Amino acid sequence: MTITITAFEHSPDGGKGLARDTRVRWALEEVNQPYEVRLVSFKAMKEPAHLALHPFGQIPTYEEGDLAIFESGAIVLHIAEHHAGLLPANPDARARAVMWTLAALNTVEPPILDLVTAKLVERDKPWAAERLPLVEARIRDRLAPLSVRLGTSEWLDGEFSVGDLMMISVLLRLKPSGIVDEYDNLSAYLARGVARPAYQRAFAAQAAVNAT
Ligand SMILES: N[C@@H](CCC(=O)N[C@@H](CS)C(=O)NCC(=O)O)C(=O)O
């Protein structure tokens, strides 16, 4: 069955790979599944056809046969559950891979999104300069323990898993801020992630869309 995902017709980041279709593309590349992409404009995302797929009018979505789902975490976990390569066989290790996926989305990503909002949406507000250090401090509150837990390991829990894929995807949004580079092991972790051939293919595919 054909897998179809949605992505921005013109990504606001101009193809830096920060839109959330990249993590879905990466998961599909890791498990060697071909996929098609339906590009949507900001206008089309808020129209009935897309809203039927995604009630919040966002990307990414994932369609395969009768299945249509949204939320990048749900999509990536679905891919990991149905194809070998992103979840360990051992049940306890699988549970931990899911745990890291949710930790990336629920614990690490929120303050990072706050920083994006603070820099892009709120930068003209009179209180913006005062708020920024608070937002950055909340990010460091997450990165410091993450760095301790990763230690000298290659990945978060043994073999590379969907948990690493999501954590690295989330941390990549911090690259422009330089904050992640304050933690040598996290910086090296990101470098290992983006060096994976599957990530490279996913990045190139989304960059190609945005180059046109
Ligand atoms: N929690 C959702 C967030 C989806 C999301 O924010 N998508 C962004 C692109 S990365 C979007 O569609 N933004 C346009 C909008 O919200 O109108 C997920 O992980 O899939």
Side-chain angles (χ1 to χ4, degrees), residues 8 18-20 23 42 45-46 54 57-60 71-73 105 173:
F8 283 129
L18 303 181
R20 290 173 180 83
R23 54 186 71 168
F42 271 95
M45 282 162 66
K46 310 300 175 193
H54 196 312
Q58 298 181 314
I59 61 100
E71 280 297 333
S72 60
L105 291 168
R173 293 194 142 218

